[in-house]
Amino acid sequence: MRKLIAGLVMGTALATMPLAAQAETPKNALVMANAIDDMITLDPAGMFEFSALEYEGNTYDRLITFDNEDVSKISGQVAESWDISEDGKTFTFHIRKGIKFASGNDLTAEDAAFSLQRVILIDGSPAFILGQFGLTPENVKDKIRVIDDYTFSMEVDQPYAPSFVLYCLTAGVGAVVDKKLVLEHEVDGDLGAEWMKTNYAGSGPFKLNKWTPGETLSLTANEDYWDGAPAMKRVIIRNVKEAASQQLLLEKGDIDIARNLEADQIAAISGNADLKVMPKGKGALWYLGLSQKNEYLSKPKVREALKYLVDYKGISETIMAGRAQTHQAFLPEGFLGAYNENPYSLDIEKAKSLLAEAGLADGFSVTMDTRNTTAVMAMAQSIQATWAQAGINLEIIPGDNKQTLTKYRARQHDIYIGRWGPDYQDPHTNASTFAWNPDNSDDASAKPLAWRNSWNPGSLTEETDAAILERDNAKREAMYIELQKKVLADGPFVIMFQETEIASMRGNVNNFVLGPSFDTNYYRFVTKD
């Protein structure tokens, strides 16, 4: 017990130590600089932000997982195996025995079923992932049932493509929480939601030590992790948004990994023998969301004009050099049905002609909410400059990601420049947000990106629903290609780039894992020479 307390104290000290005082990082601690200002909650039932879900991927076990190098290989994590009924509507999961939560409680089917039920009952941002299967607060306890200590079943409302259901359970909503611990902190029937915003109830390779919003996140190793304890005993993540500051810290040895270096910084460290870089293609897309509540942006010709007013080549080759490639459809490369044609390029005269057809030959004024990090601000300024050439006055409104996301989710923006990462590796993950919106009212229960931008996609919603019931992969692929073409032509999105993430690190750091998604970046295998 004394060793444990000492370790926790030391972890806290490291997390709060002034950066300048660190000559080098401890051999058994991983120290990173990353922009983590988007973190709002630590509750798996509520988190829907990049940094928070990376945290969850390292601290919670999920029901199902997949191979980072071949995402078509789905496997069990908490669920050791599963069966699917003949009618395709009931999935029975067999829980791996011997897993313990950090609290010491055994992980059982009761915890797994409760965790999925809790997502629906709390009805936070990610609840729609499970809600797609006909699960509601009224029926979820009947549809998700415990059979015995290590078996539970989930009944869905239609015979979906099995991979679609399983991929959804690899998402953050598939994290298993400690039912007993969570309910010990329940207040007024909130299922522990208030306590879980800043606390931990998982079984993963790392556990929460301390989160100071906007400053640091520190983790400690779960020495009793069922699949092997991590080599790093602590992970300390500093919220450093400026790329130049991250570069300086990396070169001095004050951090092990810099997660957000820009093109200039990556070029500057390329000749440093003490440093190395790791690139990884990701599924994340950079895009502009155009609110259809805005009188100008609701005009089809204006939306088309804006797609000709982005310097895709210039931004990808300079601002995002090595970290993005032009990609204009909503499914990233690597997904079933990905459409890799890019019909738009910078064409000022074409854009002017389209604006004139819309009755806006003299342009208009509009605002764009922009995360105040180096790359996003640089992209916004490039877009501002090219739009000005067509007479559009774009006012950039900078803010922390938490601020800009909150405003965007409330449909209070004109334009939002954002990064969208797939929630799971099935094509429905992006089709259901870019091409689907069954209720466009302000109080709708489902709030995909189409809803956030106040866009009613009409028949595309039905086409998206049909695609998840198609079990012939060739036919399903064709359906997604057609959906992408229609959104490209008429949707309120200017999709620009697919991300390549680059982690820059000290030469003695090994086995840091960058996965295909934002929540599959893993710390547990890291070692230091």
Side-chain angles (χ1 to χ4, degrees), residues 213-254:
E215 295 182 18
T216 59
L217 174 69
S218 64
L219 314 175
T220 55
N222 179 357
E223 298 292 351
D224 299 317
Y225 186 56
W226 63 271
D227 200 26
M232 295 293 103
K233 303 310 176 188
R234 298 179 299 283
V235 176
I236 299 107
I237 304 170
R238 307 298 301 256
N239 181 39
V240 182
K241 294 192 294 181
E242 298 78 18
S245 298
Q246 289 195 17
Q247 177 193 348
L248 179 62
L249 295 170
L250 184 65
E251 289 174 330
K252 290 173 59 182
D254 288 335

Side-chain angles (χ1 to χ4, degrees), residues 405-462:
L405 264 178
T406 299
K407 186 175 178 182
Y408 185 40
R409 289 171 175 171
R411 307 212 290 189
Q412 294 174 351
H413 66 294
D414 284 340
I415 299 172
Y416 173 82
I417 180 169
R419 173 172 164 250
W420 178 262
D423 296 303
Y424 43 90
Q425 297 297 310
D426 187 89
H428 187 67
T429 184
N430 278 14
S432 65
T433 199
F434 285 97
W436 180 87
N437 185 15
D439 181 358
N440 199 36
S441 63
D442 284 340
D443 59 353
S445 57
K447 299 178 179 179
L449 292 186
W451 178 89
R452 289 188 196 177
N453 290 286
S454 304
W455 183 50
N456 180 358
S459 64
L460 298 193
T461 292
E462 293 180 1

Side-chain angles (χ1 to χ4, degrees), residues 286-491:
W286 287 101
Y287 74 101
L288 306 180
L290 314 175
S291 174
Q292 296 307 282
K293 290 185 176 182
N294 181 284
E295 62 176 313
Y296 306 118
L297 303 177
S298 63
K299 297 177 182 291
K301 292 296 182 181
V302 170
R303 295 198 297 270
E304 186 180 2
L306 298 185
K307 294 169 187 178
Y308 284 106
L309 283 174
V310 175
D311 185 4
Y312 302 96
K313 187 173 186 292
I315 294 173
S316 64
E317 291 182 355
T318 56
I319 296 169
M320 302 297 288
R323 296 175 297 120
Q325 61 181 8
T326 299
H327 186 84
Q328 296 172 351
F330 67 66
L331 279 180
E333 285 188 13
F335 276 67
L336 176 72
Y339 182 64
N340 296 319
E341 299 297 322
N342 298 314
Y344 302 105
S345 58
L346 180 62
D347 190 333
I348 303 296
E349 294 309 313
K350 174 74 171 177
K352 285 182 176 179
S353 174
L354 288 165
L355 290 172
E357 289 181 49
L360 294 167
D362 295 328
F364 58 92
S365 295
V366 70
T367 65
M368 182 160 70
D369 291 287
T370 306
R371 186 180 184 185
N372 56 2
T373 54
T374 308
V376 184
M377 286 297 294
M379 279 194 283
Q381 288 161 358
S382 171
I383 293 166
Q384 183 184 53
T386 51
W387 287 17
Q389 294 179 55
I392 299 173
N393 175 34
L394 177 64
E395 178 189 352
I396 295 171
I397 303 176
D400 285 347
N401 204 32
K402 182 177 178 179
Q403 297 170 321
T404 58
L405 264 178
T406 299
K407 186 175 178 182
Y408 185 40
R409 289 171 175 171
R411 307 212 290 189
Q412 294 174 351
H413 66 294
D414 284 340
I415 299 172
Y416 173 82
I417 180 169
R419 173 172 164 250
W420 178 262
D423 296 303
Y424 43 90
Q425 297 297 310
D426 187 89
H428 187 67
T429 184
N430 278 14
S432 65
T433 199
F434 285 97
W436 180 87
N437 185 15
D439 181 358
N440 199 36
S441 63
D442 284 340
D443 59 353
S445 57
K447 299 178 179 179
L449 292 186
W451 178 89
R452 289 188 196 177
N453 290 286
S454 304
W455 183 50
N456 180 358
S459 64
L460 298 193
T461 292
E462 293 180 1
E463 292 176 38
T464 300
D465 287 335
I468 52 175
L469 297 176
E470 178 54 65
R471 296 192 168 209
D472 183 311
N473 268 357
K475 292 179 180 178
R476 195 170 182 232
E477 180 177 18
M479 295 169 81
Y480 286 115
I481 289 173
E482 190 62 26
L483 278 168
Q484 287 169 95
K485 289 180 178 179
K486 291 176 180 178
V487 173
L488 254 176
D490 190 50

Side-chain angles (χ1 to χ4, degrees), residues 151-211:
T151 313
F152 80 97
S153 65
M154 180 176 77
E155 182 185 346
V156 299
D157 60 340
Q158 297 187 70
Y160 300 102
S163 61
F164 168 50
V165 178
L166 295 173
Y167 274 127
C168 284
L169 297 176
T170 71
V173 292
V176 179
V177 304
D178 186 336
K179 179 180 179 179
K180 181 179 179 182
L181 180 63
V182 169
L183 291 184
E184 285 174 359
H185 295 89
E186 184 177 36
V187 177
D188 297 329
D190 73 345
L191 297 175
E194 188 62 32
W195 182 78
M196 283 287 283
K197 286 180 181 178
T198 56
N199 288 282
Y200 173 68
S203 63
F206 290 96
K207 51 192 176 182
L208 176 68
N209 178 25
K210 184 179 181 181
W211 173 42

